[in-house]
């Protein structure tokens, strides 16, 4: 196995320090245990920096070539698991630099010219977050595709719509599922905005004040795929807004996932019976043989708390920091990495679970009429056909509901005589709106639950979110 040369604090920081760091200081100070995840970004940033230094005549071409070859070899060592990360070297930056110097000698010591670990880590982390955003967007797109496929399949299948978790009005299952497509679309937009904002390059800000070397920050920014260099060197090394942007968006997305998971948990109960989740994403009980527990959905619901917690934690770390860099900012990474891992796992699991889920459309239809869900249709009919003011029509419909409850029947089961006794304006034509199918078919306003509108919305969503041509 290959190992970097172990160096003491005195070797790292020079003659200013007369003693090595205490063992406890080494433990609290070291970040290599988690920031080694940034190795690819660190190598990439160092390659761009070395090329720029040579192009500006700050280092020679021979040193540049040695540095680039050394970094390429180190990347292979890490990829193949042959690189030994040394906690005494604190972080990924010093680990790679020490190994580079070990491999190529004096040229390796020239790489850190005109930069600091402050702008180095800020650059690495922006590159990492940018990739995390791209991964999240791809997973969100896949989840939207699964939801749209289900929504299209169930565009006309009636179910109860709820407010306060009480039956409210009939809707279609396709309409309900498409609501999550819109939520995840906003998540994708938030990630895209966060990506745009973060795409400025800190490299070249050095410790906080810039550098006296004639560097070309536009060149390094362009090579690393950034739109421009950051405009202020102090801001460049002290800013972690981009990490907060990611975590805030991830937290909102996790909440959306949690709401969907909660509905799946409820709907999978025998009391609801709306959906059967795939066995591969459920578990049994060690004592109750009949159980099929929706564990994957419950874990998606539960893990949202982790993502929200990481956002709050980083906000708390940053809220009292003076400019520019403080070591507190080392606490930005573990929560960020875990939030990304958690979100990506939950997105993938939700899509896979839904892909194999089976909805009981007969049970959904039977439940759609429970709770007198067409009462609003009755009131609307009085307004539309009889010219009754809505508040008065609302009161008439409420009396009809009370009478149906007394008789233990649905609104549509009330006789013509009973309806007329409640209000003489309720003639037999009102039955045209009392069925759940007629109710949903009548909701033809833009964004409504009428199957014709649901199918139009699905086609539009496929075009907006998946890039598919509308048929």
């Amino acid at each position: 196995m290959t190992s970097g040369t172990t160096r003491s604090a005195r070797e790292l920081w020079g003659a200013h320090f007369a003693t090595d760091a205490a063992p406890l200081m080494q433990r609290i100070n070291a970040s290599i245990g988690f920031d080694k995840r940034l190795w690819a970004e660190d190598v990439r940033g160092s390659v761009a920096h070395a090329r720029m230094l040579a192009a500006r005549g700050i280092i020679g071409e021979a040193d540049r070539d040695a540095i680039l070859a050394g970094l390429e070899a180190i990347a292979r060592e890490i990829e193949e698991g042959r690189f030994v990360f040394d906690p005494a070297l604190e972080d990924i930056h010093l680990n790679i630099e020490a190994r580079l110097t070990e491999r190529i000698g004096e040229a390796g010591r020239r790489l850190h010219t005109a930069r600091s670990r402050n702008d180095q880590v800020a650059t690495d982390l922006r590159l990492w977050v940018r990739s995390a955003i791209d991964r999240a967007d791809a997973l969100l797109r896949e989840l939207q595709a699964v939801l749209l496929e289900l929504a299209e399949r169930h565009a006309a299948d009636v179910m109860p719509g709820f407010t306060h978790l009480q039956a409210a009005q009939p809707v279609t299952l396709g309409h309900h599922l498409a609501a999550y497509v819109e939520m995840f679309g906003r998540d994708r937009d938030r990630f895209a905005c966060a990506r745009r904002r973060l795409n400025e390059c800190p490299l070249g800000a050095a410790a906080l004040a810039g550098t006296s070397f004639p560097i070309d920050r536009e060149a390094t920014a362009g090579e690393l795929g950034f739109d421009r260099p950051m405009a202020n060197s102090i801001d460049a090394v002290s800013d972690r807004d981009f990490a907060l942007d990611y975590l805030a968006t991830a937290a909102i997305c996790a909440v959306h996932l949690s709401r969907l998971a909660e509905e799946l948990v409820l709907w999978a109960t025998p009391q609801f019976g709306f959906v059967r989740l795939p066995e591969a994403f459920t578990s049994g009980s060690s004592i109750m043989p009949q159980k099929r527990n929706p564990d994957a959905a419950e874990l998606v619901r539960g893990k949202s708390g982790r993502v929200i917690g990481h956002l709050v934690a980083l906000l708390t770390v940053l809220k009292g920091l003076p400019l520019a860099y403080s070591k507190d900012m080392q606490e930005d990474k573990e929560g960020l990495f875990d939030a990304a891992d958690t979100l990506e796992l939950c997105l993938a699991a939700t899509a896979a679970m839904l892909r194999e889920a089976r909805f009981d459309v007969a049970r959904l239809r039977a439940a759609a009429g429970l709770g007198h869900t067409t009462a609003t249709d009755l009131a609307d009919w009085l307004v539309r056909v009889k010219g009754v003011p809505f508040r008065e029509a609302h009161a008439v419909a409420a009396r009809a509901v009370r009478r149906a409850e007394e008789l233990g029947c649905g609104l549509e089961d009330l006789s013509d005589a009973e309806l007329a006794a409640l209000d003489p304006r309720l003639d037999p034509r009102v039955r045209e709106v009392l069925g759940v199918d007629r109710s949903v078919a009548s909701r033809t306003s833009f964004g409504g639950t009428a199957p014709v509108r649901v199918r139009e919305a699905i086609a539009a969503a496929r075009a907006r979110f998946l890039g598919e041509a509308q048929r």
Side-chain angles (χ1 to χ4, degrees), residues 52 56 214-221:
M52 181 276 295
R56 299 293 292 172
I215 62 173
D216 184 349
R217 293 191 61 204
E218 286 78 10
T220 49

Side-chain angles (χ1 to χ4, degrees), residues 1-3 81-84:
M1 293 181 67
T2 303
S3 174
R82 295 185 290 111
F83 190 99
V84 177

Side-chain angles (χ1 to χ4, degrees), residues 340-357:
D341 291 343
T342 300
L343 181 66
E344 290 167 24
L345 176 62
C346 289
L347 286 168
T350 302
M353 179 169 48
L354 283 171
R355 193 175 287 111
E356 302 299 325

Side-chain angles (χ1 to χ4, degrees), residues 92-261:
I92 186 61
H93 323 296
L94 290 180
N95 267 263
I96 289 178
E97 183 182 335
R99 178 61 179 144
L100 180 66
T101 302
E102 182 183 29
R103 288 189 66 96
I104 68 173
E106 190 67 19
R109 299 181 185 274
R110 301 188 191 281
L111 175 60
H112 207 54
T113 306
R115 75 175 183 184
S116 162
R117 284 191 299 171
N118 294 357
D119 62 338
Q120 192 176 355
V121 68
T123 302
D124 291 357
L125 199 56
R126 281 176 183 263
L127 290 170
W128 191 92
V129 171
R130 192 171 68 187
S131 295
I133 287 174
D134 292 343
R135 293 194 302 272
D137 182 74
L139 288 165
L140 278 163
R141 185 185 187 280
E142 177 60 26
L143 178 54
Q144 287 180 302
V146 172
L147 284 164
L148 284 168
E149 183 178 340
L150 284 170
E152 196 161 38
R153 188 183 309 161
H154 297 289
D157 290 325
V158 180
M159 66 170 286
F162 297 94
T163 62
H164 307 277
L165 202 56
Q166 303 293 310
Q169 292 178 318
V171 297
T172 70
L173 176 57
H175 192 52
H176 190 105
L177 294 173
Y180 285 102
V181 175
E182 297 298 323
M183 293 184 206
F184 294 130
R186 291 192 296 274
D187 293 331
R188 290 181 67 189
D189 184 63
R190 275 184 280 268
F191 273 128
C193 290
R195 194 187 196 283
R196 174 181 54 78
R197 278 191 296 271
L198 76 75
N199 212 36
E200 297 182 343
C201 186
L203 195 58
L208 79 160
T211 177
S212 59
F213 291 95
I215 62 173
D216 184 349
R217 293 191 61 204
E218 286 78 10
T220 49
E223 180 166 346
L224 294 172
F226 291 106
D227 295 331
R228 63 191 68 85
M230 293 189 73
N232 184 284
S233 62
I234 295 176
D235 181 49
V237 299
S238 61
D239 168 58
R240 292 297 183 272
D241 288 1
F242 65 94
L244 292 174
D245 266 354
Y246 177 89
L247 288 170
T249 300
I252 295 170
C253 182
V255 168
H256 290 156
L257 287 169
S258 183
R259 296 182 75 178
L260 175 55

Side-chain angles (χ1 to χ4, degrees), residues 259-318:
R259 296 182 75 178
L260 175 55
E262 167 68 2
E263 294 201 312
L264 292 174
V265 169
L266 286 173
W267 292 358
T269 62
Q271 287 72 24
F272 275 83
F274 291 175
V275 67
R276 186 174 181 86
L277 298 176
E279 290 187 3
F281 289 89
T282 60
S283 72
S285 165
S286 62
I287 190 173
M288 296 169 284
Q290 84 281 7
K291 295 294 292 296
R292 282 172 51 90
N293 298 321
D295 283 8
E298 290 173 355
L299 287 166
V300 168
R301 183 180 61 187
K303 287 178 183 295
S304 64
R306 290 174 67 147
V307 181
I308 295 167
H310 291 315
L311 169 62
V312 175
L314 185 55
L315 284 166
T316 306
V317 167
L318 294 173

